[in-house]
Amino acid sequence: MKIILNKVKLINPDQNLDETNDVLIENGIIKKIGNITKDDFEKAEVFEFDGKICVPGLFDMHVHFCEPGREDTETVITGSNAAANGGFTGVACMPNTNPTIDSAEVVNFIKKKAEKHLVDVHPIGAVSKDRKGEHLAPIAELVTAGAVAFSDDGVAVKTASLLRNALEYLKMYDLPIIEHCEDVSMAGGAMNEGSVSTLLGLPAIPTVAEDLTVIRDIAVADYVGGSIHIAHISSKKAVQAVREAKAKGIKVTSEVTPHHFLLTDESLDSYDSNYKMNPPLRTEEDVQAMIEGLKDGTIDCIASDHAPHSIEEKEAEFIYAPNGILGLETQLGLALSELVHKNHLTINQLVEKLSINPRKILNLPIPQIKVGEIANLTIIDPDEVWTVDIKKFYSKSKNSPFDKRLLTGKSVAVINKSKMFMDGTFKEI
Amino acid sequence: MSLNIKHLLGLQDVSKNDIQLILDTATTFREVLDRPIKKVPTLKGTTIVNLFYENSTRTRLSFELAEKRLSADTLNFSTSNSSAKKGETFKDTVRNIEAMKIDMIVVRHESAGVPLYLTKISKASIINAGDGRHEHPTQALLDMYSIKERLGKLQGLKVCIVGDISHSRVALSNIFGLKTMGAKVSLCAPPTMLPKNIEQFGVKIYHDINKAVAENDVLNVLRIQLERDAGTTIPSLREYHNYFGVTAEVIEKKIIKIF
Ligand SMILES: [Zn+2]
């Protein structure tokens, strides 16, 4: 089958590509860029993408798909549907499932579930058995099965010595450890510690809990020569620590979620648990530091930390409600509205943060917009104004604080693995 | 005159007029206690649920007694947090209670924010009987009532709250209420017992109990929770007692100064 993406703006910073052209895709392969004949037009399904942007398929390197274990909140398929609807053609899913992704069986189980889906689902293996921080998980076995990185997400790797050994061991594969940075002795609060937590009377987590672990991890990575990726960075001092480490040539990268570059702890004054996450929403100063970090490259990518929870769980009393919010279906719109349209990032920089860099960090090939390549693409309308409606989410859960928010810019279509998702339907192309 | 507030969630946003009205009304009810029949019909026909998610027999009994003396119909719903966490959700429990056509809910909960949440899912008036370490407005009103009863006023008084402010739910309520009524509020505690940025409320901080006693008209002394605090926020109860204890000796120094 042939399709033509007509008059679309092609952007791929990885290829220095920035031009408007027509693209012919046949059986999922890019066959022509420009020089499309009348005959091609007659035989193909033509999509008029004038004013739209076509980029290498977006990639979210931090999602929770809850399968196996909590299929009532999300499955590999519903999560992948949400990803496609949000403009993503690839994700990396965290291992805090039940059972944990700490064996080849679980990696294979997830990959099998995602096999026929448009979205590439890459499991992240646990660093330690059952994420308990005691014994190393079978890292070689997990890499062989297809794990693209390692993390005990939900918590940091428990001890510096285990982290050191995991980093040493991973040098064999040049894959990173993704760290949820939080000093466990200071953990356990329900929000950020500061003026607002004192006013609201909620137990709180100080930013220094994050800073300490970021600094520990950088020191260990420096000593070992391994790669650390800081997940969902949220504190100003942590960003500064990463900035300084990068300047010294230490192999550290970082990601930020849309809620951490956008919202502050002031949002919690209604005790709405859709604003409860870990790391917690910080202060305006931290939010500004996230934007600065994105601008100067200290923060390499944007990731959602997509964390589905049932309504019943989220409606619990605030201190009992679980941490985390959905992100896949609002992330691109939030990033375009808040970063691109507010002139913090160019569209090229955004493509780096949402498509190129996460793949680089995970050592995955970057989709090329070139003749002969597999079409792995996201088509974006940067100017479409739309309202978030949780009822229309493809995710099985609804826990988002962004319901009813007006956004500018969204994904129009995604293409990958000879499949296309557009206007709410998947089809073979 | 009537109250401007429908709920009593905390004293943060309660006006001076409302606090004054509550304290004045309490004075008239106080007299009821001296009568042979300690009951008035004020709340006749009103149904009140005491929803206690934390063990606090003393607070619950105080509410229950007050409700009965005002002729309200009362229902008690007490549960430990563990059992509430399992089984039906908090929202289900409230919906079931709401179906009984009640007028008021008095709620005590370990989680801050529960009283505010109740106002969103129930039509009843909500009285906060303590939420987490947030507010406990009725206790603060009682504290203010006691001060006023002894010293005749609140305006211009210097009141120092002594003890574990961090884990207290009455400290914030007292700070808000007393300041609204024109008192000057200070705190006396080791820094480990003061929550982050508490100075934002315009309170003076003491770390010297003798100084706090010397410079204030009233001390409001909070309980120290032994199990939790000893060894972590304070080295020992002995050391706390020696440096922050409001002992007879500490008080005597002040009395000697006055006379
Ligand atoms: Zn995490």
Side-chain angles (χ1 to χ4, degrees), chain A residues 404-419:
Chain A
K404 309 277 186 301
R405 196 181 177 100
L406 200 65
L407 298 179
T408 305
K410 73 182 297 196
S411 163
V412 175
V414 286
I415 296 171
N416 188 26
K417 287 158 81 175
S418 300
K419 294 178 180 68

Side-chain angles (χ1 to χ4, degrees), chain B residues 153-218:
Chain B
K153 60 169 187 177
L154 291 167
Q155 174 75 40
L157 279 183
K158 287 188 239 165
V159 182
C160 182
I161 306 170
V162 184
D164 186 358
I165 313 294
S166 281
H167 291 95
S168 169
R169 48 175 55 127
V170 292
L172 275 190
S173 294
N174 263 299
I175 292 170
F176 296 140
L178 285 164
K179 288 186 71 101
T180 301
M181 299 312 286
K184 281 200 175 64
V185 186
S186 59
L187 309 172
C188 180
T192 46
M193 288 181 164
L194 293 169
K196 189 86 175 160
N197 302 346
I198 188 74
E199 321 79 52
Q200 70 183 311
F201 302 123
V203 289
K204 184 175 179 176
I205 310 287
Y206 294 97
H207 301 305
D208 178 344
I209 187 68
N210 289 308
K211 203 164 175 226
V213 170
E215 293 182 3
N216 284 280
D217 305 307
V218 180

Side-chain angles (χ1 to χ4, degrees), chain A residues 62 64 153-154 180 232 278-279 305:
Chain A
H62 192 148
H64 298 269
D153 188 39
H180 167 120
H232 43 52
N278 189 10
D305 193 6

Side-chain angles (χ1 to χ4, degrees), chain A residues 193-204 269-272 311-312 315-320, chain B residues 12 81 85 90-91 109-114 116-117 120 133-134 172 176 195-198 200-201:
Chain A
E193 182 174 278
S195 299
V196 183
S197 65
T198 293
L199 180 62
L200 297 180
L202 285 168
D269 64 354
S270 58
Y271 296 92
D272 179 346
I311 291 171
E312 296 72 45
E315 273 180 351
E317 301 92 311
F318 195 88
I319 62 169
Y320 306 142
Chain B
Q12 189 189 351
N81 293 302
K85 262 192 274 182
F90 179 71
K91 195 176 182 181
H109 203 290
E110 186 191 14
S111 178
V114 162
L116 178 65
Y117 180 63
K120 292 172 188 166
R133 51 182 85 161
H134 180 220
L172 275 190
F176 296 140
K196 189 86 175 160
N197 302 346
I198 188 74
Q200 70 183 311
F201 302 123

